[in-house]
Amino acid sequence: MSEKHALPLPYQAPIAPSQRRHLSARPFVPLAVLAFLLFTYLPRIQLTVPASVDAVYSADWAKCPGQPKALFPKTALNLTGEEEKRSIELFQEAVRIPTQSFDDNGEPNEDPRWAPFFDFQKWLEKSFPTAWSNAKVEFINTLGILATFEGSDPSLKPLLL
């Protein structure tokens, strides 16, 4: 019984080319009419939103808080050519100091990658001696700088730059 027995397949006579069924366009006609009507009349349909939905979306609690109006200085800086040139030079010097911190930096006094930050502190003191001497300069966590400039009117609110 090692022989394989195949089951007989039902016989189908070949279909003559004249007997083959052709696809009829009749089933597609209603679909074409429906598509025509949808594309013709659908854009004209007005969708109305119930008043209760409008009330929800127009409620004050559902809106983001308004932004305050921008504050523009009343005075403009009118730098001379020499002052503008000096400002550009200071900016160029500042960006040349590679003050990059990384996620794996160690303590400021131990990891040598913090050295440029100490250089930047020295550069600030050297480049802006008037501001450095008039401000109360505090170092926060060794490298953070907080410079407080006392105003002439202590009743005014402080300004953070």
Side-chain angles (χ1 to χ4, degrees), residues 130-140 145-151 158-161:
T130 306
W132 200 266
S133 63
N134 290 327
K136 176 184 163 192
V137 180
E138 300 172 72
F139 296 100
I140 300 169
I145 301 171
L146 175 64
T148 306
F149 295 88
E150 295 291 333
L159 176 66
L160 180 64
L161 301 175

Coordinates of all heavy atoms in Angstrom, one line a residue, residues 130-140 145-151 158-161:
T130 N 32.2 97.3 34.2 CA 31.3 98.2 34.9 C 30.1 97.4 35.4 O 29.7 97.6 36.6 CB 30.8 99.3 33.9 OG1 31.9 100.0 33.4 CG2 29.9 100.3 34.6
A131 N 29.5 96.6 34.6 CA 28.4 95.8 35.1 C 28.8 94.8 36.2 O 28.1 94.7 37.2 CB 27.8 95.0 33.9
W132 N 29.9 94.2 36.0 CA 30.4 93.3 37.0 C 30.7 93.9 38.4 O 30.4 93.4 39.4 CB 31.7 92.6 36.5 CG 32.0 91.3 37.2 CD1 32.8 91.1 38.3 CD2 31.5 90.0 36.9 NE1 32.9 89.8 38.6 CE2 32.1 89.1 37.7 CE3 30.6 89.5 35.9 CZ2 31.8 87.7 37.7 CZ3 30.4 88.2 35.8 CH2 31.0 87.3 36.7
S133 N 31.2 95.2 38.4 CA 31.5 95.9 39.6 C 30.2 96.5 40.2 O 30.1 96.6 41.5 CB 32.5 96.9 39.4 OG 32.0 97.9 38.5
N134 N 29.2 96.8 39.4 CA 28.0 97.4 40.0 C 26.9 96.4 40.4 O 26.0 96.7 41.1 CB 27.3 98.4 39.0 CG 28.2 99.6 38.8 OD1 28.8 100.1 39.8 ND2 28.2 100.2 37.6
A135 N 27.1 95.2 39.9 CA 26.1 94.2 40.3 C 26.5 93.4 41.5 O 27.7 93.3 41.8 CB 25.9 93.2 39.1
K136 N 25.5 92.8 42.1 CA 25.8 91.8 43.2 C 25.8 90.5 42.5 O 24.8 89.9 42.1 CB 24.7 91.9 44.3 CG 24.8 90.8 45.3 CD 23.6 90.9 46.3 CE 23.5 89.6 47.1 NZ 22.3 89.5 47.8
V137 N 27.0 89.9 42.3 CA 27.2 88.7 41.5 C 27.3 87.5 42.5 O 28.1 87.5 43.4 CB 28.5 88.8 40.6 CG1 28.7 87.5 39.9 CG2 28.4 90.0 39.7
E138 N 26.4 86.5 42.2 CA 26.4 85.3 43.1 C 26.6 84.1 42.1 O 26.0 84.1 41.0 CB 25.1 85.2 43.8 CG 24.7 86.4 44.7 CD 23.3 86.3 45.2 OE1 23.1 85.4 46.1 OE2 22.5 87.1 44.8
F139 N 27.3 83.2 42.6 CA 27.5 81.9 41.9 C 26.7 80.8 42.5 O 26.8 80.6 43.7 CB 29.0 81.5 41.9 CG 29.9 82.6 41.2 CD1 30.6 83.5 41.9 CD2 29.9 82.6 39.8 CE1 31.4 84.5 41.2 CE2 30.7 83.6 39.1 CZ 31.4 84.5 39.9
I140 N 25.9 80.2 41.7 CA 24.9 79.2 42.1 C 25.4 77.9 41.6 O 25.6 77.7 40.4 CB 23.5 79.5 41.6 CG1 23.1 80.8 42.2 CG2 22.6 78.4 42.0 CD1 21.8 81.4 41.6
I145 N 25.4 81.8 37.3 CA 25.7 83.2 37.6 C 24.3 83.9 37.8 O 23.5 83.9 37.0 CB 26.5 83.9 36.6 CG1 27.8 83.2 36.3 CG2 26.7 85.4 36.9 CD1 28.6 83.7 35.1
L146 N 24.2 84.6 39.0 CA 23.1 85.4 39.2 C 23.6 86.8 39.5 O 24.3 87.1 40.5 CB 22.2 84.9 40.4 CG 21.1 85.8 40.9 CD1 20.0 85.9 39.8 CD2 20.5 85.3 42.2
A147 N 23.3 87.8 38.6 CA 23.7 89.2 38.8 C 22.5 90.0 39.1 O 21.6 90.1 38.3 CB 24.4 89.7 37.5
T148 N 22.6 90.6 40.3 CA 21.5 91.5 40.7 C 21.9 92.9 40.7 O 22.9 93.3 41.3 CB 21.1 91.1 42.2 OG1 20.8 89.7 42.2 CG2 19.8 91.9 42.6
F149 N 21.1 93.7 39.9 CA 21.4 95.2 39.8 C 20.3 95.9 40.6 O 19.1 95.8 40.3 CB 21.3 95.6 38.4 CG 22.4 95.1 37.5 CD1 22.3 93.8 36.8 CD2 23.6 95.7 37.4 CE1 23.3 93.3 36.1 CE2 24.6 95.2 36.6 CZ 24.5 94.0 35.9
E150 N 20.7 96.5 41.7 CA 19.7 97.2 42.5 C 19.3 98.5 41.8 O 20.1 99.3 41.3 CB 20.3 97.6 43.9 CG 20.6 96.4 44.7 CD 19.4 95.7 45.2 OE1 18.3 96.3 45.4 OE2 19.5 94.5 45.5
G151 N 18.0 98.8 41.7 CA 17.5 100.0 41.0 C 17.4 101.1 42.0 O 17.7 101.0 43.2
P158 N 11.0 93.7 40.4 CA 12.3 93.3 39.8 C 12.1 93.0 38.3 O 11.0 92.6 37.9 CB 12.7 92.1 40.6 CG 11.5 91.6 41.2 CD 10.6 92.7 41.4
L159 N 13.1 93.0 37.6 CA 13.2 92.7 36.2 C 14.1 91.5 36.0 O 15.3 91.6 36.5 CB 13.6 93.9 35.3 CG 13.8 93.6 33.8 CD1 12.4 93.3 33.2 CD2 14.4 94.9 33.2
L160 N 13.7 90.5 35.3 CA 14.6 89.3 35.1 C 15.0 89.3 33.6 O 14.1 89.4 32.7 CB 13.8 88.0 35.4 CG 14.6 86.7 35.2 CD1 15.8 86.7 36.2 CD2 13.7 85.6 35.4
L161 N 16.3 89.3 33.3 CA 16.8 89.2 32.0 C 17.3 87.9 31.7 O 17.9 87.2 32.5 CB 17.9 90.3 31.8 CG 17.5 91.7 32.0 CD1 18.7 92.6 31.9 CD2 16.4 92.2 31.0

